[in-house]
């Protein structure tokens, strides 16, 4: 059984760790609020882009674009896929990174001819350790999702898509959903299905003709490049918020475990301390009795 000094030292160590987990919890909550505010600022712009794409398809449903499946629903030929995997730079976030990695492994198992593009040091380290080739790793993006970094990623992926090196592009990220639940999802980024931008009956009713310069195809391709950048930016921010939310949950659980451990150690400390006090009292009492018997024996001998 540990003595009171050892128990007290362990309790102090847990208190020090608890200070760190509390600080990490507060930092994560601040980052979540800031990232959500930045995303909310840009959301109206990309909502407007989506509305413009719908307007183009109202004008010409059969418009040709390399970013969409053909209007006759014929499939894109099979070939090399591109997969953008968004992980974190750090751990201590529960199962956040592991869920993304599992989804990436599932996609790789289904289609082995896939080139990986990784955001986040955790993912880069994992795939490197498991000897899975990485086409490109985008550094410093997971902890600082900005529109500039999203455009950098989209330009690289679109270049490979336009050149025909990639037939399909998927993005694996963690959807923040409603702030209470998160889910690692795999979404096909390119090509799009036309029905994703289908206008409802009311929108079609108020449609009016537009002129597109230099052509409707060129306008659609230009809008789609910005839309892809926005989609990637949204995925980066969603993943960042999910990471911080997972870290908040993990740190809160760590705090609760620390409180439970401190409660158990406090009970053990009091029990050991009480046992030590009882033993001291017993030793003093026994010593006093022994001295009393000695004096009585000495008096009887002298008498």
């Amino acid at each position: 059984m540990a003595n009171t000094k050892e128990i007290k030292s362990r309790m102090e160590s847990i208190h020090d760790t608890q200070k760190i987990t509390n600080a990490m919890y507060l930092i994560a909550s601040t980052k979540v609020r800031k990232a959500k505010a930045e995303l909310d600022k840009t959301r109206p712009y990309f909502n407007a882009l989506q509305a413009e794409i719908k307007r183009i398809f109202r004008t010409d449903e059969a418009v040709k674009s390399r970013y969409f499946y053909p209007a006759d629903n014929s499939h894109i030929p099979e070939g090399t896929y591109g997969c953008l995997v968004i992980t974190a730079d750090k751990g201590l976030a529960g199962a956040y990174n592991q869920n993304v990695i599992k989804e990436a492994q599932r996609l790789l198992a289904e289609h082995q001819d896939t080139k990986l593009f990784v955001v986040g040091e955790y993912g880069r380290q994992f795939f490197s350790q498991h000897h899975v080739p990485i086409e490109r790793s985008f550094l410093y993006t997971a902890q600082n999702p900005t529109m500039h970094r999203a455009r950098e990623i989209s330009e690289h992926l679109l270049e490979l898509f336009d050149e025909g090196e990639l037939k399909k592009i998927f993005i694996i990220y963690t959807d923040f959903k409603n702030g209470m639940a998160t889910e690692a999802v795999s979404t096909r980024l390119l090509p799009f299905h036309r029905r994703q931008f289908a206008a409802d009956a009311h929108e079609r009713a108020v449609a009016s003709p537009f002129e597109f310069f230099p052509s409707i195809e060129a306008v659609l391709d230009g809008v789609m490049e910005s839309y892809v950048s926005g989609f990637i930016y949204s995925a980066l921010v969603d993943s960042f918020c999910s990471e911080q939310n997972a870290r908040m949950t993990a740190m809160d659980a760590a705090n609760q475990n620390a409180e439970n451990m401190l409660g158990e150690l406090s009970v053990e400390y009091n029990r050991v301390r009480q046992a030590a006090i009882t033993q001291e009292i017993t030793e003093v009492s026994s010593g006093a009795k022994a001295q009393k018997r000695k004096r009585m024996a000495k008096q009887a001998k002298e008498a």
Side-chain angles (χ1 to χ4, degrees), residues 39-227:
L39 181 62
D40 290 340
K41 290 179 182 178
T42 60
R43 196 179 298 276
Y45 170 71
F46 295 108
N47 289 339
L49 281 180
Q50 189 173 25
E52 292 304 313
I53 297 170
K54 288 184 177 181
R55 181 177 298 172
I56 291 173
F57 281 112
R58 287 204 306 269
T59 304
D60 184 1
E61 293 182 356
V63 58
K64 294 182 179 179
S65 174
R66 59 184 180 275
Y67 299 131
F68 288 86
Y69 280 104
D72 59 2
N73 293 323
S74 60
H75 293 290
I76 300 295
E78 291 293 323
T80 303
Y81 289 2
C83 181
L84 177 65
V85 182
I86 302 176
T87 63
D89 284 336
K90 304 175 183 178
L92 297 177
Y96 167 78
N97 289 302
Q98 288 78 8
N99 291 337
V100 175
I101 294 296
K102 287 179 182 178
E103 191 65 23
Q105 289 176 321
R106 183 190 63 79
L107 181 62
L108 289 173
E110 292 179 355
H111 192 86
Q112 296 183 359
D113 186 12
T114 300
K115 292 184 178 180
L116 284 180
F117 302 86
V118 180
V119 172
E121 186 65 18
Y122 189 97
R124 190 184 70 82
Q125 291 286 349
F126 177 87
F127 291 118
S128 296
Q129 291 172 2
H130 289 76
H131 308 290
V132 179
I134 298 174
E135 186 70 15
R136 181 170 175 181
S137 179
F138 298 95
L139 303 177
Y140 313 116
T141 302
Q143 289 299 315
N144 185 25
T146 63
M147 193 63 214
H148 174 73
R149 296 184 185 275
R151 286 196 180 99
E152 177 186 348
I153 296 172
S154 67
E155 287 174 1
H156 184 72
L157 294 177
L158 287 173
E159 180 181 355
L160 295 175
F161 185 81
D162 293 339
E163 293 175 354
E165 294 186 26
L166 301 177
K167 295 299 183 182
K168 293 183 182 180
I169 298 177
F170 292 83
I171 180 170
I172 297 177
Y173 67 103
T174 307
D175 188 3
F176 193 51
K177 289 189 174 181
N178 55 8
M180 298 298 293
T182 60
E183 180 185 6
V185 295
S186 174
T187 302
R188 188 187 66 256
L189 183 59
L190 288 173
F192 290 98
H193 274 298
R194 295 168 185 265
R195 63 174 176 267
Q196 293 179 243
F197 300 95
D200 57 31
H202 174 71
E203 290 174 324
R204 288 195 296 269
V206 298
S208 57
F210 286 87
E211 291 186 6
F212 298 92
F213 182 83
S215 66
I216 190 171
E217 290 83 3
V219 172
L220 179 59
D221 287 347
V223 172
M224 290 309 301
E225 291 175 2
S226 297
Y227 186 81

Side-chain angles (χ1 to χ4, degrees), residues 223-251:
V223 172
M224 290 309 301
E225 291 175 2
S226 297
Y227 186 81
V228 169
S229 298
F231 193 101
I232 292 176
Y233 175 65
S234 176
L236 289 172
V237 176
D238 267 344
S239 295
F240 180 76
C241 290
S242 298
E243 175 196 349
Q244 302 306 323
N245 185 68
R247 184 163 290 115
M248 288 170 58
T249 302
M251 293 304 102

